[in-house]
Amino acid sequence: MNRALEMEVFAAVIDAGSFVGAGDMLNMSKAAVSRHVDALERRLGVRLMQRTTRRLSLTEEGAVFYHHCKEVLAVINAAEAEAASRVSEPTGVIRINAPVSFGVRYLDPVWAVLLERYPTLDLELSLNDRVVDLIEEGIDMCVRIGELTDSSLVSRRFASTKVIAAASPEYLVKHGVPQTPDDLHQHQIISYRNWTGPGRNEWSFRSKYGGSLQTVKLKSRVFCNSGDPCRELALRHAGIIFQPDFLIGNDLRDGALVPILPDYDYEHAHLGIYAVYPSRKQLPQKVRVLVNLLVELFEQVPWATVDDVAAAQSAKSVKAAKSAKSA
């Protein structure tokens, strides 16, 4: 007795609308199809369909059983496809999208390892900071940073980052050091246009010593669609930026930028970095190996100690800026 085969034949009869059509679909004779359906009905002790010389129709029990058959067969197909994909060599072209700043700084080693490990795999890479439509644009996987809003997609978090408000020491000497979030209204703000937080120009802070959430709506002097121009302008003393530590971590370490508002926590500062792909069902092997590779290579992210460095430098740098201004 092959229960799965009986279910497959029964479903094929309904889908094709006839025993002959089911036989064509399954490369099986009409007599063999009939034997499987008869055996199924005898085993269940119920009639699943009414058949005449002109038409087939499901009984009430047959309609319910047909629905369950389709579900079971889909699970079987998905399990077989997944098992086969795990042992097969990934081949073909994998199309990937990633943010510019993150992609340029940290993903090149990933692509190199991917191509070395899987010689039959080719890579098509696009870097931009807009949110792409994976299905419409034929993207196999993308890297996204921040809050994910499309619940129809599947994601796996492989790293994290923290958004830090920072400026150059020279800027702070000239314009003063913000002591509270409200002080930001008196400063030149350099904003990232593609920010995916709750509000592109609304920032909510809470004092580390307690108190209610404080939201400030800032007017930006500059909008950029990439984090790199924001960073460059800040390094040239043009204003205050809110940027992730993977982008400005080295600048914080060497003192070229100074974290501000050390007594406040930004409400949405901690962001996940995700591999995002259209579906978990029958996941292509080429996507599976890349997602696993990202998790493997980012277990120890290069900006993991930025918080500690920023905290240590904050008091020192702000004190130096105040002393220089008073002098």
Side-chain angles (χ1 to χ4, degrees):
M1 177 181 64
N2 189 327
R3 297 168 68 184
L5 179 58
E6 290 177 353
M7 296 172 75
E8 183 179 15
V9 172
F10 169 70
V13 170
I14 305 307
D15 292 338
S18 70
F19 284 70
V20 174
D24 292 339
M25 290 174 57
L26 301 174
N27 194 25
M28 188 180 294
S29 69
K30 177 185 176 182
V33 171
S34 181
R35 283 198 301 272
H36 283 296
V37 173
D38 289 342
L40 176 62
E41 289 183 324
R42 287 196 303 272
R43 181 167 61 81
L44 296 178
V46 64
R47 180 167 290 278
L48 300 174
M49 63 179 75
Q50 302 290 351
R51 11 198 208 279
T52 68
T53 56
R54 293 188 177 183
R55 62 188 295 268
L56 294 173
S57 61
L58 285 171
T59 63
E60 183 178 348
E61 295 79 7
V64 173
F65 187 71
Y66 170 76
H67 173 73
H68 289 306
C69 282
K70 297 294 284 186
E71 289 185 335
V72 170
L73 293 171
V75 171
I76 291 174
N77 290 334
E80 289 179 345
E82 181 174 350
S85 70
R86 289 182 179 274
V87 298
S88 62
E89 183 75 7
T91 60
V93 178
I94 182 168
R95 295 175 176 84
I96 304 163
N97 173 263
V100 177
S101 299
F102 185 77
V104 169
R105 284 168 172 78
Y106 299 108
L107 293 180
D108 285 345
V110 177
W111 314 141
V113 172
L114 182 73
L115 295 174
E116 181 180 2
R117 286 189 185 180
Y118 307 104
T120 58
L121 196 60
D122 297 326
L123 175 66
E124 185 176 308
L125 177 64
S126 63
L127 296 181
N128 56 64
D129 286 1
R130 66 182 178 86
V131 178
V132 300
D133 186 316
L134 272 68
I135 297 176
E136 182 176 326
E137 300 184 38
I139 303 297
D140 295 304
M141 193 212 79
C142 72
V143 173
R144 288 186 180 170
I145 302 171
E147 299 181 6
L148 302 179
T149 57
D150 191 341
S151 60
S152 68
L153 301 175
V154 180
S155 64
R156 183 172 179 184
R157 183 170 180 156
F158 64 88
S160 60
T161 188
K162 180 181 180 181
V163 177
I164 296 175
S168 70
E170 290 84 350
Y171 172 87
L172 296 174
V173 167
K174 183 176 180 179
H175 297 277
V177 180
Q179 301 298 313
T180 70
D182 277 335
D183 292 343
L184 294 173
H185 290 294
Q186 312 305 318
H187 285 268
Q188 298 182 142
I189 306 299
I190 302 167
S191 291
Y192 174 59
R193 182 176 294 279
N194 293 327
W195 174 250
T196 58
R200 190 171 69 183
N201 247 25
E202 289 187 357
W203 299 84
S204 297
F205 299 86
R206 191 185 303 275
S207 171
K208 292 181 178 179
Y209 309 107
S212 60
L213 197 67
Q214 183 177 355
T215 299
V216 292
K217 187 173 180 63
L218 302 177
K219 181 180 179 181
S220 298
R221 188 177 184 190
V222 179
F223 274 110
C224 301
N225 66 351
S226 171
D228 283 294
C230 297
R231 171 181 173 269
E232 286 297 328
L233 284 169
L235 290 173
R236 295 177 185 273
H237 328 307
I240 293 174
I241 57 174
F242 294 82
Q243 286 295 319
D245 51 9
F246 72 75
L247 180 61
I248 63 174
N250 289 335
D251 303 317
L252 294 170
R253 289 186 184 94
D254 62 25
L257 293 177
V258 179
I260 62 172
L261 300 176
D263 294 334
Y264 291 85
D265 288 322
Y266 167 54
E267 185 185 15
H268 298 281
H270 296 278
L271 305 177
I273 304 178
Y274 301 88
V276 180
Y277 41 97
S279 175
R280 184 178 286 108
K281 292 183 178 179
Q282 299 184 3
L283 181 65
Q285 178 70 341
K286 60 186 179 181
V287 176
R288 187 187 309 280
V289 297
L290 175 55
V291 173
N292 290 338
L293 181 61
L294 286 168
V295 174
E296 173 191 336
L297 296 182
F298 279 86
E299 283 184 338
Q300 296 296 327
V301 291
W303 57 89
T305 60
V306 167
D307 279 352
D308 296 334
V309 175
Q313 286 195 349
S314 178
K316 177 181 175 182
S317 299
V318 171
K319 183 179 179 180
K322 288 181 177 179
S323 299
K325 185 176 182 180
S326 60

